[in-house]
Amino acid sequence: MRHGSKKEHFTLFIDECGDPNLEKFDKTFPIFTLCGVLISDKKLGYLENDVNGLKQDLWGNKDVIFHSREIRNCSKDFVNLLDNKTKTCFYTRINEVLGVEDVYVIVCCCILKEPFIERFNTGEDVYGLSLKYLIERAIFHIDDCTDGNARLRIVVERRNPNQNQALLKYYNGLRVNGTKWITAERLTDRIKSFSFVGKKDNVIGLQIADLIAYPISRQILNPDRPNPVFQIVAKNIYTYKGAKLGLKIIPH
């Protein structure tokens, strides 16, 4: 797409795995992951149709909301996955969705809490820091594939009001100051909107981000453990000239 033609629009759906608390955290899961799924408006409908088709076939409606922890535990809406046939069908279908290439791109930041605390401090806003990397890499990608003629919507899962306000303040700071690699002018030119939505809003992009965040976190914590879902989604991590720029690990 060249300058002067109609602008292409992308959405970056952002969800988290783990929590950003550095003072008190689960020692068995000492990681915070912010995971973004970047997808163009042209391709979003395909993803939504595939996921809604799966929901309709296994739950009889499109209202069930995919949540990684509940799926893994076969709890709440996912007790039907205790049936092995249903479970096999679900994982086969959802892995097909996640494994499709050239539909979505992953940009992700993982904070390893223990070494992070040793090197930095517990007062750091790790959610905001992670958001900065996701925005940078999302802009890198859309500029790579559209010659800088695209616009980006950012959709973040809503948390509590104080956390939302803190994140919005961090984001507005990026709009004023830019980042090390993205000027404020470029950032504000590319980003069309920044909004919070809840899980109950049933946003497919957020649910995909949620499903991807856990296997990425597990891969970083336990790289030698079998992780078939990570192998499926890894090829969609933003890559530039052979480097997986879409997976940032801090500290590394």
Side-chain angles (χ1 to χ4, degrees):
M1 183 178 293
R2 302 296 175 186
H3 291 284
S5 59
K6 185 177 179 180
K7 289 180 173 62
E8 188 170 354
H9 289 92
F10 290 75
T11 304
L12 178 63
F13 298 98
I14 298 176
D15 202 353
E16 65 191 90
C17 181
D19 68 79
N21 193 325
L22 297 178
E23 296 181 349
K24 295 180 180 180
F25 58 88
D26 182 356
K27 299 292 185 179
T28 67
F29 198 74
I31 190 170
F32 170 72
T33 296
L34 198 64
C35 182
V37 169
L38 181 64
I39 187 166
S40 71
D41 283 7
K42 293 179 180 179
K43 297 179 179 179
L44 181 57
Y46 296 110
L47 185 69
E48 291 175 337
N49 287 339
D50 286 345
V51 172
N52 283 329
L54 172 56
K55 291 180 178 182
Q56 188 68 45
D57 290 345
L58 293 189
W59 283 270
N61 66 75
K62 301 173 184 177
D63 297 330
V64 61
I65 297 172
F66 288 168
H67 189 264
S68 179
R69 180 180 295 176
E70 293 168 4
I71 291 171
R72 296 194 307 273
N73 294 333
C74 301
S75 62
K76 297 185 178 180
D77 287 331
F78 303 97
V79 292
N80 60 339
L81 299 184
L82 291 170
D83 175 74
N84 286 333
K85 184 177 179 180
T86 304
K87 187 174 186 176
T88 298
C89 180
F90 169 76
Y91 279 105
T92 298
R93 294 272 299 273
I94 197 63
N95 287 343
E96 288 174 353
V97 172
L98 298 178
V100 174
E101 296 184 66
D102 300 322
V103 171
Y104 69 92
V105 172
I106 297 168
V107 287
C108 187
C109 183
C110 300
I111 305 286
L112 294 169
K113 293 185 177 183
E114 291 167 333
F116 186 91
I117 292 168
E118 291 174 4
R119 188 173 303 185
F120 305 107
N121 63 73
T122 58
E124 183 76 41
D125 182 354
V126 296
Y127 202 116
L129 177 64
S130 301
L131 176 71
K132 177 179 71 173
Y133 283 108
L134 266 61
I135 289 176
E136 281 183 343
R137 282 146 180 77
I139 292 176
F140 290 161
H141 175 71
I142 66 174
D143 282 359
D144 289 345
C145 64
T146 66
D147 294 339
N149 196 31
R151 295 297 175 265
L152 178 67
R153 303 181 192 91
I154 299 175
V155 176
V156 183
E157 184 182 64
R158 186 184 300 122
R159 299 181 293 160
N160 70 51
N162 289 337
Q163 290 173 321
N164 293 341
Q165 280 301 115
L167 189 62
L168 187 59
K169 182 179 179 181
Y170 193 102
Y171 166 71
N172 286 329
L174 295 178
R175 288 177 59 86
V176 173
N177 301 309
T179 74
K180 182 178 180 180
W181 305 109
I182 303 284
T183 65
E185 181 182 21
R186 182 180 173 192
L187 191 149
T188 54
D189 178 68
R190 301 299 189 274
I191 299 177
K192 181 179 180 181
S193 64
F194 183 96
S195 59
F196 296 95
V197 300
K199 279 196 182 297
K200 292 182 179 180
D201 294 321
N202 198 3
V203 176
I204 299 299
L206 284 182
Q207 293 167 59
I208 296 297
D210 176 80
L211 293 176
I212 291 172
Y214 181 77
I216 288 178
S217 302
R218 273 296 168 201
Q219 181 67 23
I220 302 307
L221 289 175
N222 310 107
D224 297 325
R225 194 170 95 173
N227 192 339
V229 178
F230 177 79
Q231 301 305 320
I232 288 169
V233 303
K235 58 182 175 290
N236 286 322
I237 295 172
Y238 169 52
T239 303
Y240 183 72
K241 295 184 177 179
K244 285 193 178 297
L245 297 183
L247 180 54
K248 177 72 176 178
I249 303 169
I250 305 175
H252 193 269

